[in-house]
Amino acid sequence: MDQAIPLNFDTIALEFNYDDFITYHGEKLFSHTEPEPNELFWHCPRELGCGSFQRIKIRPGFDLWLTDCAFCRDIIFQNYKTPVTIQFNFTLSGHYRIRLDGDRDVKRFFGEFQGISFYNTPCSFCKVLHDVPARSISLTLQPDVFASCFEDHMTLMPPVIHKMMTQDMETGYLYQSAIIPAIREVIHQILGCPYHGIARKLFFESKALELLSLQLHQICDSSSLDHSCPRMHPQDKRQIADVRQILDKSLEAPPCLKDLARTAGMSHPKLNRCFKEMYGMTVFQYIRTERLNRAKSMLQQDGYSVTETAFHVGYDSVSHFSQAYKKQFGASPSDSVRLMG
């Protein structure tokens, strides 16, 4: 019998083990399923919230992790037992506070960003605050596996990668930036994978390598490394994150830019500039992209018709919806429905 979780605590301390995943006082906590070979799902218990963690084994020592959890209380992960890995992180949303062993400083991560980290020393703790859903994709590679993937091109890697490979750099986040549109597109392709069996395995492997190549391309010029993502006043970051939450809750009929700017306490141009700096696109582009991503999920997973989907996500014209959908995904809405059928 799994150990019950006390419901009177505002914050729950859990342990993270690479093999047993998440435990509470030594007891396995998240139930797991294996829907496909080399794929594991850990399902969040209702006492903590909802959602799941997914581990996809690309190759030995090379994993793709998908996180989509909304916790109902703050969670602290501690007592990490993980191998030394290089991580390529793509966070869509979340609110985290992390401290590494031997480090007095607590690093705070909020909102959307991408980054590369090297865990030569594990975290002493990672606190996940419940006020923002935790949604991310991570690629974890053991250093020797990373080297084998690019053995013919290691001399072309940027200096920061060479320092990681020789393990002479301080642990922690080495690089952060806003998620660029090209990477965002691959992320949504991964989240919306329609395949099964061997096609699914090959799809995830190809997309994982594509994310690696896009991320490495960004850091080839070591002078572009930025340890603050993005360079913006913390108050502006919080206001822009609030704007994004408003948009997520009202995609079918979002407030006008003037009202959003008033809510954020900034001018229209500053709102768009800061929003693009954090999320890689303007407010209008974000609304369009998220509407279409939601539409894709409705068509492929929820069984809605094309007409129902178009009006549900805020399009007045089915033909305009179909044109925008095909431009975004390379296939018409009807093709997406037939593919799932």
Side-chain angles (χ1 to χ4, degrees):
M1 179 76 65
D2 289 347
Q3 186 166 341
I5 304 170
L7 299 180
N8 58 330
F9 289 171
D10 292 331
T11 301
I12 295 295
L14 305 176
E15 298 180 351
F16 184 91
N17 183 295
Y18 207 75
D19 295 318
D20 295 331
F21 197 52
I22 296 172
T23 58
Y24 177 71
H25 288 301
E27 297 289 339
K28 293 185 178 180
L29 180 60
F30 284 53
S31 62
H32 79 275
T33 57
E34 301 181 32
E36 297 272 352
N38 298 314
E39 290 189 38
L40 290 170
F41 273 87
W42 286 274
H43 305 277
C44 183
R46 284 181 293 181
E47 304 97 298
L48 296 184
C50 61
S52 65
F53 295 84
Q54 182 180 1
R55 178 186 177 188
I56 301 165
K57 299 178 182 179
I58 303 298
R59 301 174 186 175
F62 181 3
D63 294 325
L64 169 64
W65 290 83
L66 310 181
T67 299
D68 187 1
C69 275
F71 294 113
C72 59
R73 64 184 70 192
D74 294 348
I75 305 293
I76 291 180
F77 294 110
Q78 58 188 12
N79 297 331
Y80 278 75
K81 297 178 182 178
T82 60
V84 174
T85 57
I86 298 172
Q87 291 198 8
F88 293 76
N89 309 292
F90 308 91
T91 298
L92 300 176
S93 68
H95 191 175
Y96 310 94
R97 293 175 183 170
I98 296 174
R99 185 171 63 203
L100 301 171
D101 283 349
D103 192 348
R104 293 183 178 181
D105 295 332
V106 175
K107 297 178 174 63
R108 181 172 179 261
F109 302 97
F110 184 88
E112 182 183 271
F113 60 90
Q114 61 186 27
I116 300 176
S117 58
F118 175 60
Y119 286 94
N120 193 21
T121 299
C123 292
S124 59
F125 80 88
C126 172
K127 185 173 184 179
V128 183
L129 282 73
H130 75 280
D131 56 343
V132 181
R135 300 179 63 228
S136 66
I137 288 181
S138 296
L139 304 173
T140 62
L141 297 94
Q142 295 177 17
D144 59 334
V145 175
F146 180 84
S148 69
C149 288
F150 301 98
E151 57 184 349
D152 296 331
H153 300 88
M154 284 304 297
T155 57
L156 303 177
M157 289 290 174
V160 66
I161 296 296
H162 288 290
K163 289 183 179 180
M164 284 193 292
M165 298 303 294
T166 57
Q167 302 185 16
D168 65 355
M169 178 170 278
E170 294 181 0
T171 57
Y173 280 82
L174 304 173
Y175 169 78
Q176 282 185 273
S177 69
I179 293 179
I180 62 174
I183 286 181
R184 188 191 308 278
E185 181 178 353
V186 178
I187 288 173
H188 287 301
Q189 289 171 353
I190 290 174
L191 296 176
C193 175
Y195 304 114
H196 299 280
I198 188 63
R200 183 177 178 88
K201 181 182 185 302
L202 292 173
F203 175 85
F204 281 134
E205 181 167 353
S206 66
K207 293 302 173 183
L209 292 173
E210 187 174 357
L211 281 179
L212 277 179
S213 66
L214 289 169
Q215 182 71 297
L216 289 171
H217 176 71
Q218 281 193 277
I219 63 169
C220 280
D221 179 5
S222 61
S223 65
S224 68
L225 293 182
D226 182 2
H227 293 267
S228 61
C229 170
R231 287 177 178 172
M232 189 187 304
H233 191 281
Q235 180 62 26
D236 289 341
K237 283 186 181 182
R238 288 190 289 270
Q239 290 169 329
I240 294 300
D242 289 343
V243 167
R244 184 188 177 189
Q245 287 189 349
I246 292 171
L247 294 176
D248 287 342
K249 293 177 181 178
S250 58
L251 282 175
E252 68 283 354
C256 66
L257 190 61
K258 181 179 179 180
D259 289 341
L260 287 171
R262 185 183 300 113
T263 299
M266 57 183 66
S267 66
H268 304 176
K270 182 178 179 180
L271 171 64
N272 253 335
R273 185 181 71 251
C274 291
F275 197 95
K276 187 171 184 178
E277 189 176 353
M278 280 189 70
Y279 302 121
M281 59 183 74
T282 65
V283 171
F284 175 76
Q285 290 169 333
Y286 180 83
I287 293 171
R288 181 183 60 195
T289 300
E290 290 303 305
R291 277 179 170 177
L292 293 172
N293 288 329
R294 183 172 296 182
K296 186 176 183 180
S297 176
M298 293 174 65
L299 290 168
Q300 294 187 345
Q301 300 177 22
D302 302 330
Y304 282 79
S305 70
V306 174
T307 301
E308 289 174 327
T309 301
F311 290 112
H312 187 85
V313 298
Y315 281 84
D316 295 329
S317 165
V318 175
S319 63
H320 288 165
F321 165 68
S322 297
Q323 291 171 7
Y325 189 96
K326 188 170 184 177
K327 184 177 180 180
Q328 178 78 4
F329 300 114
S332 69
S334 299
D335 289 338
S336 294
V337 173
R338 283 195 293 269
L339 179 63
M340 293 308 295

